[in-house]
Amino acid sequence: MELKRVVVTGLGAITPLGNDVPSTWESMINGVSGAGPITLFDASKFKTQFGCEVKNFDPNAYIDKKEARKMDRYAQLAVVSATEAIEDSGIANSETVDKDRIGVVISSGIGGIITFEQEVGSYYLREEMGPRFSPFFIPKMISDIASGHVSIKYGFRGPNFGTVSACASSTNGAVTAFDMIRLGRADAIVVGGAEAAVSVSGVGGFNAMNALSTRNDSPETASRPFSASRDGFVIGEGSACLILEEMEHAIARGAKIYAEVVGGGASGDAYHLTASHPEGLGAILVMKNALADANLSPEDIDYINVHGTSTPVGDPSEVKAIKEVFGESAYKLNISSTKSMTGHMLGAAGAIETMACVLAVQNDIVPPTINHEEGDEDPSIDYNLNFTFNKAQKREVRAALSNTFGFGGHNACLIVKKFTK
């Protein structure tokens, strides 16, 4: 069976760097940090008092007020980014489109954690009155509901679900959607991720694990992947969506094409609940799987958007894995962690980082890893690699690979390259 080709025909985003794709990309290539003091709740008693929040977000500016009330913040963010991507692609208004063959796969690692806090917290505050829960509690909270909202809004009746694999969720979702399109099971799928866990239990839970940076005096410089002084990740929120579409379907309706999706992979560490394998075994396997699927050699990749969370344990193992997979070509490609600017958007990380790869391929520019200072080198990291520190770099980007890894040892990769017919 000959597999169909899959291209990217639309992009949408609402992130700590901007409330749409142009503003997010502009901030990303200019090395702007999205971090700042937490405003969504009183964090004054928490070890970490900052995060990467979406700024100036009024859901009623995008979504009917009555409908917005039925959505957790994470689902509101998903609907906003999906709307931008769908309008960018023009797919909803095309007369040639069969909506029975348009799917939606929007993933989240946690889902409606804010709704859960509010409803359960309210119960215990008024326990003597008995259980009083909103009829929207469950549909607001579940982590697949963002796909449902987008499907209903646009009448897309194709495959509809969300994948859950912690911080690899949206990349696993994109790989699954890619497979469904190339197997002919859908003509196009809205793929993406959304997360809104800058909340009491989100920050408190990660603080309890000592996973978050506590650099409260300098939020903007706290996420510093691959620097010796890194002390944990910066929690972020937001959403990104892409329209993946079968190539001939996209050409037939005259869609613009950003890039081609050529390969994906998945693997498990089988090692630890929260720590990556110290030798990067799962990361090695997933990158090899993705390259094989794409029928590309290591020399064909010009840019890797790494998982790069700025944790002392995770960064060195990912570097080891890259050197193992790419050999000498590892020193010729660009590496960067855009989490240094967006923060770690958890289940949405893969979606925004795949988008960064698509735009890097389209524009031949690699966004930077910010916050590295000369003299702040970790002896376990090979600085002969090009981590694209602090400043974006112009170069031809023929193909780019996005890495995402999640608690539980979940690993996922997606590869995009320049489109040529």
Side-chain angles (χ1 to χ4, degrees):
M1 176 182 178
E2 185 176 351
L3 296 175
K4 297 177 183 294
R5 294 172 65 183
V6 180
V7 294
V8 180
T9 59
L11 302 175
I14 179 163
T15 76
L17 301 181
N19 290 8
D20 56 21
V21 172
S23 58
T24 293
W25 179 240
E26 183 72 14
S27 294
M28 197 175 275
I29 61 174
N30 284 308
V32 176
S33 169
I38 289 173
T39 65
L40 294 171
F41 68 96
D42 179 4
S44 59
K45 295 181 180 177
F46 287 69
K47 285 192 292 186
T48 296
Q49 298 166 4
F50 62 93
C52 284
E53 297 178 347
V54 170
K55 283 83 174 173
N56 304 314
F57 176 56
D58 175 9
N60 299 322
Y62 302 91
I63 306 166
D64 176 80
K65 191 173 182 178
K66 187 176 177 182
E67 293 302 310
R69 290 179 59 193
K70 300 175 185 175
M71 302 177 193
D72 184 90
R73 182 177 172 90
Y74 101 92
Q76 294 170 348
L77 296 171
V79 169
V80 171
S81 72
T83 298
E84 184 185 7
I86 291 165
E87 291 179 356
D88 182 41
S89 75
I91 197 165
N93 301 319
S94 174
E95 294 180 356
T96 64
V97 165
D98 178 358
K99 291 187 177 182
D100 288 353
R101 292 184 55 80
I102 308 294
V104 185
V105 179
I106 299 178
S107 304
S108 181
I110 300 176
I113 192 170
I114 295 174
T115 296
F116 186 84
E117 287 175 8
Q118 291 171 343
E119 291 286 332
V120 176
S122 177
Y123 166 73
Y124 282 112
L125 280 175
R126 302 179 301 175
E127 193 172 3
E128 72 284 356
M129 300 172 68
R132 292 189 176 187
F133 289 90
S134 164
F136 297 112
F137 173 35
I138 299 300
K140 282 178 72 173
M141 183 192 68
I142 53 180
S143 59
D144 62 331
I145 203 66
S147 285
H149 283 295
V150 173
S151 166
I152 292 165
K153 179 176 179 179
Y154 289 98
F156 294 155
R157 295 177 292 271
N160 187 277
F161 55 90
T163 55
V164 178
S165 52
C167 302
S169 293
S170 52
T171 303
N172 275 127
V175 172
T176 302
F178 169 55
D179 286 340
M180 296 188 83
I181 296 169
R182 62 180 171 167
L183 287 170
R185 293 176 179 166
D187 292 332
I189 300 182
V190 183
V191 302
E195 206 78 83
V198 184
S199 70
V200 169
S201 55
V203 175
F206 284 119
N207 264 165
M209 300 168 64
N210 295 317
L212 297 181
S213 171
T214 56
R215 202 179 292 271
N216 293 314
D217 59 343
S218 184
E220 297 84 0
T221 66
S223 182
R224 45 182 65 198
F226 310 111
S227 294
S229 60
R230 67 197 184 281
D231 68 335
F233 73 82
V234 176
I235 192 168
E237 63 167 4
S239 177
C241 284
L242 304 87
I243 308 300
L244 303 192
E245 188 167 355
E246 193 275 321
M247 181 188 73
E248 296 295 346
H249 187 271
I251 291 172
R253 68 179 186 86
K256 67 175 177 290
I257 294 175
Y258 285 94
E260 180 172 4
V261 183
V262 291
S267 75
D269 272 3
Y271 171 70
H272 192 275
L273 278 180
T274 57
S276 55
H277 192 286
E279 300 303 318
L281 296 188
I284 290 168
L285 181 59
V286 74
M287 287 189 279
K288 285 184 174 179
N289 286 345
L291 286 168
D293 187 44
N295 196 26
L296 294 178
S297 65
E299 294 76 19
D300 295 321
I301 302 295
D302 290 320
Y303 170 47
I304 302 176
N305 188 302
V306 291
H307 189 57
T309 53
S310 184
T311 60
V313 173
D315 292 356
S317 64
E318 187 171 14
V319 170
K320 284 182 184 176
I322 290 170
K323 291 175 67 174
E324 173 67 24
V325 173
F326 289 87
E328 284 304 309
S329 65
Y331 297 91
K332 298 174 184 174
L333 52 78
N334 281 66
I335 294 166
S336 76
S337 170
T338 47
K339 287 186 181 74
S340 60
M341 297 172 279
T342 63
H344 191 350
M345 291 163 57
L346 308 180
I352 187 62
E353 291 160 15
T354 297
M355 183 176 297
C357 287
V358 168
L359 292 170
V361 164
Q362 185 195 36
N363 296 293
D364 286 323
I365 183 167
V366 175
T369 304
I370 67 169
N371 294 328
H372 181 71
E373 298 174 358
E374 195 171 339
D376 192 10
E377 281 80 29
D378 176 347
S380 69
I381 289 175
D382 182 351
Y383 290 95
N384 291 315
L385 298 168
N386 184 355
F387 289 101
T388 324
F389 283 133
N390 299 321
K391 189 175 180 181
Q393 290 184 15
K394 285 189 172 292
R395 66 165 294 168
E396 182 184 18
V397 184
R398 298 164 299 163
L401 179 153
S402 176
N403 272 344
T404 51
F405 312 141
F407 285 171
H410 312 302
N411 308 301
C413 281
L414 200 69
I415 299 176
V416 297
K417 74 173 189 179
K418 286 190 187 300
F419 173 70
T420 54
K421 192 174 179 184

